[in-house]
Amino acid sequence: METTKKRVTVPEIGRMKADGERITMVTAYDWTFARLLDEAGVDMLLVGDSLGMVVQGHETTLPVTLDEMVYHTRMVARGAKRAMVVGDLPFGSYQSSPERAVENAIRLVKDGGAHCVKLEGGLAMAETIERIASVDIPVIGHVGLTPQSVHRIGGHRVQGRRHGSTPGGRERVIEDARAVEAAGAFAVVLECIPLDLAAEITGALSIPTIGIGAGVHCDGQVLVLHDLVGLNDAWTPRFAKRYAELGREVIRAAQAYVGEVKTGVFPTDAHAFAPQVAKAS
Ligand code: KIV
């Protein structure tokens, strides 16, 4: 029997921080996995632009388009009955002007079915976050390592390891997180920063921090689905944990299938339809 589960809402996410209940977020890109992750009790499903790398096979997230994000968000929204669906604004869809950002955030909500949006950047994106939040679209910020800045950073590198107020500096990451909160975001992703810095930010902000490669002191954690279930190559980022080996299992199953088809073991009569004998009239 299917039970009706109460949807995770923005106030509920705030309550979790207040009560010290850890928030869970996992990326999802389609209906199949959205249903499974929802069933597992994941609080938030992030339709991340990481799909550019783990689904589309690009080297960075930069080529992902808004139309593609809307397409994937729709699939996830159809599968998520309880989890909050977070639509990620891809590179080029929000940086050029706050107006454009608002229009594209509206698309993710209206056409994609997202309950909120996420965008990368701190201080520089404060006005944009404010404008999106002002039309009642809840916003999640994202500071520390921002993969859309890969070319400025020079790779996917840990941020906040050196002191300084220039991008990548410890004080700058703090300033970015504070700016995101002040602009009206209801949560912020902290990506690839030292755990003591994440602890300091988590203590300083009243909105929840959701960490990836940011240690245990964040209010919640997010992992990329393919890392969590072992759907990528054997390599896993240092900060991720593989809880299953689905990639290996898919190869094993497909090899068994290939073997059985080649040798005539599959299909058997049990997998076939018996000839219909039509009655003579
Ligand atoms: O796109 C994504 O999957 C993300 C997570 C890594 C937080 O932004």
Side-chain angles (χ1 to χ4, degrees):
M1 194 182 72
E2 198 172 296
T3 51
T4 318
K5 294 173 188 158
K6 250 178 99 194
R7 176 77 70 185
V8 176
T9 59
V10 169
E12 178 69 1
I13 294 297
R15 183 209 53 81
M16 288 184 190
K17 171 158 180 142
D19 290 354
E21 180 183 335
R22 299 282 168 98
I23 300 159
T24 54
M25 180 192 270
V26 177
T27 65
Y29 314 106
D30 64 24
W31 178 79
T32 306
F33 276 103
R35 286 174 65 229
L36 297 173
L37 295 168
D38 194 66
E39 177 68 31
V42 176
D43 299 314
M44 303 170 96
L45 297 184
L46 168 63
V47 190
D49 64 353
S50 51
L51 69 85
M53 298 170 78
V54 299
V55 175
Q56 298 176 332
H58 293 297
E59 279 184 10
T60 70
T61 59
L62 301 181
V64 178
T65 67
L66 185 69
D67 285 345
E68 289 165 347
M69 292 307 300
V70 169
Y71 171 75
H72 285 275
T73 304
R74 264 192 205 139
M75 290 189 269
V76 171
R78 258 178 245 136
K81 302 294 176 227
R82 172 186 171 271
M84 175 186 287
V85 176
V86 185
D88 210 3
L89 282 163
F91 179 64
S93 71
Y94 63 95
Q95 290 91 343
S96 55
S97 74
E99 290 72 28
R100 193 168 148 77
V102 171
E103 277 163 25
N104 289 334
I106 289 173
R107 267 207 76 200
L108 280 182
V109 172
K110 201 179 177 76
D111 299 344
H115 303 123
C116 60
V117 300
K118 179 176 84 59
L119 58 84
E120 297 182 8
L123 274 175
M125 284 300 131
E127 188 191 343
T128 300
I129 292 172
E130 208 174 314
R131 293 284 290 279
I132 298 173
S134 77
V135 298
D136 282 344
I137 296 178
V139 184
I140 299 180
H142 183 158
V143 304
L145 170 60
T146 47
Q148 291 176 17
S149 317
V150 60
H151 295 315
R152 172 180 57 75
I153 294 170
H156 294 102
R157 302 220 167 115
V158 178
Q159 302 292 289
R161 270 190 166 149
R162 60 168 172 81
H163 284 287
S165 293
T166 52
R170 184 178 174 99
E171 288 71 23
R172 175 59 181 265
V173 179
I174 297 171
E175 236 187 308
D176 280 336
R178 284 192 186 277
V180 162
E181 171 168 65
F186 77 96
V188 60
V189 168
L190 305 179
E191 180 163 354
C192 287
I193 59 172
L195 52 73
D196 64 316
L197 175 55
E200 186 178 337
I201 293 171
T202 301
L205 300 191
S206 57
I207 58 171
T209 58
I210 301 176
I212 177 162
V216 70
H217 304 299
C218 298
D219 297 303
Q221 296 293 324
V222 51
L223 278 184
V224 169
L225 170 69
H226 289 52
D227 294 335
L228 187 153
V229 299
L231 261 180
N232 46 18
D233 296 337
W235 181 80
T236 310
R238 181 198 150 103
F239 56 77
K241 183 169 173 185
R242 291 163 87 98
Y243 289 85
E245 292 297 339
L246 292 199
R248 270 195 227 149
E249 190 54 17
V250 169
I251 293 171
R252 189 206 56 73
Q255 279 173 338
Y257 164 74
V258 168
E260 290 198 354
V261 171
K262 297 274 185 196
T263 55
V265 171
F266 175 85
T268 65
D269 285 353
H271 304 109
F273 301 100
Q276 180 96 33
V277 182
K279 274 194 189 146
S281 53

